[in-house]
Amino acid sequence: MKKTFKFIGVLALASGLFYSCNQNTPATTADASESGSAAMADMKIAFIKTDSVINKYEYFKMKSEEITEKGKKFEGELQNRARGFEQEVANFQQSAASMTMNQARAKEEELVKKEQNLMTYRNNLMQELSADEANLYNDVYDRIQKFMKTFAEENGYSMVLSNTRGGAVWYANDGLDVTDAVIEGLNKEYNAAPSDSIK
């Protein structure tokens, strides 16, 4: 009989401990979950359509036009050189019959070198334009990132996402879209102190 009471007492103590442990665990989890939910609820998130911001940014438009004009100028120079080379080839073809073999060979070698130089010149121009374009995009991204830090702080955003086609954001509520406000702010900042043109 005493053994039975001892056994029941131990069993009651064990179940009491087990019950109190079970009561504490969910409460702790619930507290952690509630504090995590509160932190998430405090977050203010927005997104921008990055392509729209870049394409409507006055600084980007102005610099793009400068690069386009530079490209047209390069194209004109290249066409002039190409026409001069074509004329030289045509002249050689007309006068080749009256030349000695050595003179003709020397002229052919000269024309081959001129053609190679023309191709090198064209490649250099294209590389320069590509570098200008890459530098412009780097500059624009730096400017937007700097602006976004201030914009987010002033408007209380914890996070501003970039929404681009094929990017990481597949869906976002339109109410979170701050693209127009960012474009307006960027252009206002730029127009207050326009930058020098590209060199």
Side-chain angles (χ1 to χ4, degrees), residues 153-194:
E153 286 170 359
E154 286 176 356
N155 292 282
Y157 291 111
S158 303
M159 187 183 298
V160 180
L161 304 172
S162 167
N163 188 359
T164 55
R165 185 175 175 84
V169 179
W170 283 96
Y171 170 78
N173 184 302
D174 288 342
L176 302 175
D177 187 354
V178 294
T179 303
D180 291 340
V182 169
I183 292 168
E184 185 182 339
L186 275 167
N187 288 332
K188 185 176 177 183
E189 182 181 80
Y190 167 67
N191 289 322

Side-chain angles (χ1 to χ4, degrees), residues 99-169:
M99 292 180 171
T100 65
M101 268 181 68
N102 286 341
Q103 287 175 326
R105 192 177 300 121
K107 188 64 180 174
E108 280 176 5
E109 286 173 6
E110 182 190 328
L111 289 172
V112 166
K113 281 183 185 175
K114 283 187 175 182
E115 185 179 25
Q116 288 171 345
N117 290 341
L118 189 61
M119 297 300 282
T120 302
Y121 178 71
R122 187 201 69 180
N123 292 340
N124 289 342
L125 294 182
M126 288 176 70
Q127 283 176 1
E128 189 175 333
L129 288 173
S130 292
D132 284 350
E133 193 172 291
N135 290 336
L136 173 59
Y137 274 98
N138 285 335
D139 186 25
V140 165
Y141 275 101
D142 287 345
R143 285 167 174 264
I144 291 172
Q145 190 169 24
K146 184 180 173 188
F147 176 82
M148 290 309 301
K149 186 176 187 309
T150 307
F151 179 84
E153 286 170 359
E154 286 176 356
N155 292 282
Y157 291 111
S158 303
M159 187 183 298
V160 180
L161 304 172
S162 167
N163 188 359
T164 55
R165 185 175 175 84
V169 179

